[in-house]
């Protein structure tokens, strides 16, 4: 818990100063995706899938005042390419990574497909989620060059003469899902990690270079305007944030920020009416070592500001060995992986100025650090297991709501700790939210100083034994010392008076 005892002027306390008058980026949303397991979990018994949906989407409180769920503010819907209909002929060995398509071979649509995913769309909306994004890992197999939902030899699987058909298809998807589920897809992401080859049959995927992306997006823009879809196109879901700023090892697939959003570029699409004024990239492979992670994000923040657009961190889970900091292999339901996740979220928000932050797959059946909730690999029933990564994401998503603005948080005295406290602060109207990440094995004393008349009313702590546990906190006038538990993430909430 957050200690409710206060002591003035302790020299050992860490000073945290919140300046509400110094602001940074606005927050669009916090999200996660339904790929790939919701196609099956959406068919589980009602009681279990509703409890899973509550964990992901609910903004309700339990009887003790703690949150029932993490209240994601955006849900990502995987627009399948049809590998599931192809079954073993799809070339994707793991059937849990195949996906259905609404498009029939004769060109008609079957809106009864992707039923499990549609269930989660409806469940999200019923619990208050009002932002939805549809993403296509691959065009439908009917449009691809090789008739598969993955590519050959790292070359795009969509010929230019199919851009219009794919664009019209995406228009139909937006309208068809709205009719079938009463859920409007606010955003469409037509390409995903275009830098990768997507040739191994591990999942649906399609590579593109920047010229191909620009041509496809122009076709989508025309189709969206003609069909009055009202959806915005999000680009380009770069495989990692390096490709937003530099070519690196993928010539023609990097420098995406300037290529798509600089008016002098031949691939300029930032002025298209249907294009969301944001660029999306993934934080994979750039989170360690810490100094390099910060350097990359500082450069990204400067470039984003120069283009006057937003940055969306649109996919992340813990992959690789991360310079020895943490290994992505083997699931971890405990606080170790969750604290690493908290440090990534903090850095993306406070250094890269991310306006949106999305986890990869909300539900996993794999022995990997890729899920918020884990389930038995069973299509019809099974057990589910919440992770501390779920609840730590909730320290942000549950309380930092769309429309919030990040404000300045300065920490002094961190040298008393092995790992510095990570503090971020946000205001949304009169509501104030402060998130404190303590990765240390020791508790930390904090003097919280806010340059306004603020009443901090509640704390919500996630630790090895707590899941956003709520406590009242006493409020002092200026410098009140409070205890932040070791190995925890604590969110403080309050209001301006």
């Amino acid at each position: 818990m957050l200690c409710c005892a206060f002591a003035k002027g302790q020299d050992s306390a860490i000073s945290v100063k919140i300046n509400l008058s110094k602001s940074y980026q606005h927050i669009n949303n916090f999200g996660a995706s339904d790929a790939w397991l919701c196609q099956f979990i959406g068919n589980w018994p009602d009681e279990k899938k509703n409890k899973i949906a509550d964990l992901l989407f609910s903004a309700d409180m339990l009887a003790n005042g703690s949150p029932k769920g993490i209240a994601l503010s955006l849900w990502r819907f995987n627009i399948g390419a049809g590998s599931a209909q192809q079954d073993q002929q799809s070339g994707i060995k793991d059937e849990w990574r195949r996906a259905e398509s609404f498009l029939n071979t004769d060109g008609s649509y079957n809106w009864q497909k992707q039923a499990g995913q549609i269930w989660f769309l409806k469940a999200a909306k019923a619990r208050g989620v009002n932002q939805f994004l549809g993403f296509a890992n691959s065009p439908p197999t009917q449009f691809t060059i090789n008739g598969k939902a993955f590519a050959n030899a790292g070359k795009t699987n969509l010929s230019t003469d199919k851009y219009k058909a794919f664009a019209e298809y995406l228009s139909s998807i937006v309208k068809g899902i709205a009719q079938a589920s009463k859920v409007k897809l606010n955003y469409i992401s037509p390409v995903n990690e275009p830098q990768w080859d997507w040739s191994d049959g591990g999942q649906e995927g399609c590579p593109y270079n920047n010229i191909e992306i620009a041509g496809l997006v122009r076709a989508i823009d025309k189709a969206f305007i003609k069909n009055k879809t009202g959806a915005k196109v999000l680009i380009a879901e770069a495989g990692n944030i390096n490709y937003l700023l530099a070519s690196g090892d993928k010539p023609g697939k990097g420098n995406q920020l300037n290529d798509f959003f600089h008016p002098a570029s031949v691939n300029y699409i930032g002025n298209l009416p249907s294009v969301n004024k944001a660029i999306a990239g993934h934080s994979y492979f750039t989170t360690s070592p810490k100094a390099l992670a910060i350097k990359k994000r500082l450069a990204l923040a400067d470039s984003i500001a120069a283009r006057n657009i937003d940055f969306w961190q649109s996919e992340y889970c813990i992959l690789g060995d991360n310079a020895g900091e943490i290994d992505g292999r083997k699931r971890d339901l405990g606080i170790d992986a969750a604290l690493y996740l908290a440090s990534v979220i903090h850095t993306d928000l406070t250094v890269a100025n991310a306006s949106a932050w999305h986890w990869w797959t909300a539900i996993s059946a794999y022995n990997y650090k890729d899920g918020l909730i884990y389930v038995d690999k069973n299509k019809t029933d099974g057990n589910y297991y919440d992770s501390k990564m779920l609840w730590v994401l909730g320290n942000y998503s549950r309380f930092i709501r769309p429309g919030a603005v990040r404000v300045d948080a300065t920490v002094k005295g961190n040298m008393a700790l092995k790992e510095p406290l990570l503090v971020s602060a946000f205001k949304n109207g009169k509501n104030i939210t402060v998130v404190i990440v303590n990765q240390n094995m020791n508790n930390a004393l904090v003097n919280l100083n806010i340059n306004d008349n603020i009443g901090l009313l509640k704390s919500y702590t996630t630790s090895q034994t707590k899941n956003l546990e709520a406590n009242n906190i006493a409020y002092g006038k200026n410098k009140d010392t409070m205890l932040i538990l070791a190995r925890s993430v604590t969110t403080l909430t309050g209001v301006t008076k």
Side-chain angles (χ1 to χ4, degrees):
M1 65 176 287
L2 182 85
C3 182
C4 295
F6 292 83
K8 300 280 184 155
Q10 293 188 8
D11 293 335
S12 59
I14 294 168
S15 173
V16 175
K17 182 177 181 181
I18 309 297
N19 185 352
L20 298 178
S21 62
K22 187 175 182 179
S23 60
Y24 300 93
Q25 80 273 26
H26 65 281
I27 300 299
N28 292 112
N29 50 65
F30 288 87
S33 85
D34 66 358
W36 292 277
L37 273 65
C38 286
Q39 62 183 310
F40 299 122
I41 308 307
N43 296 316
W44 274 22
D46 286 346
E47 181 183 5
K48 290 182 179 178
K49 66 186 181 184
N50 272 299
K51 286 183 177 179
I52 291 172
D54 284 342
L55 289 172
L56 293 170
F57 308 127
S58 178
D60 294 340
M61 294 295 187
L62 301 172
N64 66 359
S66 300
K68 188 176 186 179
I70 68 169
L72 294 174
S73 44
L74 179 141
W75 186 237
R76 295 174 62 93
F77 179 90
N78 178 22
I79 303 170
S83 57
Q85 284 100 317
Q86 293 179 325
D87 199 25
Q88 294 183 9
Q89 285 68 46
S90 68
I92 298 174
K93 296 180 179 63
D94 186 351
E95 64 176 317
W96 285 65
R97 290 194 172 200
R98 301 171 192 157
E100 289 185 338
S101 173
F102 295 110
L103 185 63
N104 295 320
T105 55
D106 64 1
S108 63
Y109 288 83
N110 180 355
W111 300 111
Q112 302 307 309
K113 295 294 185 181
Q114 300 194 238
Q117 294 171 248
I118 291 291
W119 187 90
F120 271 93
L121 270 184
K122 293 179 178 179
K125 182 178 180 181
R127 289 162 176 78
V129 179
N130 58 18
Q131 294 186 60
F132 297 91
L133 182 151
F135 66 100
N137 287 323
S138 165
T141 56
Q142 293 92 326
F143 300 157
T144 60
I145 293 171
N146 64 5
K148 305 289 186 182
F150 63 94
N152 293 333
K155 296 180 180 179
T156 188
N157 206 14
L158 184 71
S159 59
T160 56
D161 62 350
K162 294 295 184 182
Y163 287 177
K164 182 177 180 180
F166 188 24
E168 290 290 342
Y169 159 85
L170 291 173
S171 295
S172 297
I173 290 295
V174 174
K175 291 195 171 186
I177 286 178
Q179 292 173 358
S181 67
K182 309 304 180 186
V183 174
K184 170 68 181 296
L185 296 179
N186 309 95
Y187 305 97
I188 290 293
S189 175
V191 304
N192 179 66
E193 297 183 343
Q195 290 82 16
W196 309 147
D197 285 355
W198 300 119
S199 300
D200 64 358
Q203 65 166 83
E204 296 186 346
C206 184
Y208 300 88
N209 62 36
N210 290 355
I211 294 173
E212 292 160 346
I213 293 172
L216 176 59
V217 171
R218 290 183 183 116
I220 295 171
D221 178 66
K222 290 179 181 178
F224 278 16
I225 293 172
K226 183 189 76 173
N227 297 308
K228 299 179 180 179
T229 65
K232 293 291 186 180
V233 181
L234 180 69
I235 52 172
E237 305 256 16
N240 66 55
I241 63 173
N242 293 331
Y243 295 118
L244 299 180
L245 301 179
S247 293
D249 58 343
K250 300 288 183 178
K253 296 186 175 186
N255 292 310
Q256 290 188 313
L257 178 57
N258 279 333
D259 230 14
F260 297 140
F261 286 96
H262 194 296
S265 169
V266 295
N267 294 320
Y268 179 50
I269 49 178
N271 62 336
L272 297 179
S274 299
V275 171
N276 189 41
K277 299 305 183 280
I279 194 159
H282 300 170
S283 279
Y284 296 127
F285 314 117
T286 61
T287 61
S288 59
K290 189 70 172 181
L292 185 59
I294 290 173
K295 181 179 180 181
K296 291 177 183 294
R297 283 158 178 78
L298 284 171
L300 177 58
D302 288 343
S303 297
I304 292 293
R307 297 273 75 84
N308 194 30
I309 60 173
D310 292 335
F311 165 56
W312 285 28
Q313 193 296 117
S314 55
E315 185 180 313
Y316 179 75
C317 69
I318 301 175
L319 296 177
D321 64 4
N322 299 284
E325 294 175 357
I326 191 169
D327 192 330
R329 294 171 297 181
K330 297 185 179 180
R331 70 175 62 174
D332 180 358
L333 302 180
I335 197 63
D336 289 346
L339 286 171
Y340 189 85
L341 169 60
S343 72
V344 173
I345 297 173
H346 171 85
T347 305
D348 284 338
L349 292 176
T350 64
V351 183
N353 288 335
S355 294
W357 203 94
H358 302 166
W359 179 258
W360 168 217
T361 184
I363 305 172
S364 173
Y366 296 95
N367 190 22
Y368 215 87
K369 295 177 181 67
D370 61 348
L372 301 176
I373 299 169
Y374 288 86
V375 296
D376 296 333
K377 201 170 185 181
N378 188 308
K379 294 180 183 179
T380 58
D381 197 358
N383 296 315
Y384 64 92
Y385 317 88
D386 59 310
S387 73
K388 294 297 178 181
M389 290 191 291
L390 170 84
W391 295 109
V392 158
L393 177 55
N395 277 92
Y396 294 89
S397 61
R398 175 60 183 81
F399 305 101
I400 306 168
R401 305 305 295 168
V405 176
R406 187 171 70 86
V407 296
D408 196 55
T410 304
V411 184
K412 294 183 178 180
N414 259 329
M415 66 287 297
L417 297 171
K418 182 179 179 181
E419 295 291 338
L421 286 188
L422 306 178
V423 183
S424 54
F426 306 82
K427 63 180 179 181
N428 196 344
K430 290 188 175 183
N431 296 315
I432 305 300
T433 303
V434 180
V435 184
I436 303 176
V437 182
N438 181 9
Q439 302 175 83
N440 296 277
M441 299 301 294
N442 303 315
N443 298 336
L445 289 173
V446 171
N447 280 336
L448 189 62
N449 186 356
I450 303 179
N451 70 328
D452 207 336
N453 194 9
I454 303 295
L456 289 176
L457 306 176
K458 289 279 189 179
S459 73
Y460 301 88
T461 299
T462 300
S463 67
Q464 186 61 37
T465 60
K466 305 176 189 298
N467 295 333
L468 284 180
E469 182 179 289
N471 284 282
N472 293 324
I473 54 178
Y475 175 67
K477 289 184 179 179
N478 290 313
K479 294 183 178 179
D480 296 333
T481 301
M482 57 184 69
L483 184 71
I484 302 297
L485 288 182
R487 308 290 287 167
S488 74
V489 181
T490 297
T491 299
L492 312 176
T493 63
V495 294
T496 57
K497 293 184 178 180

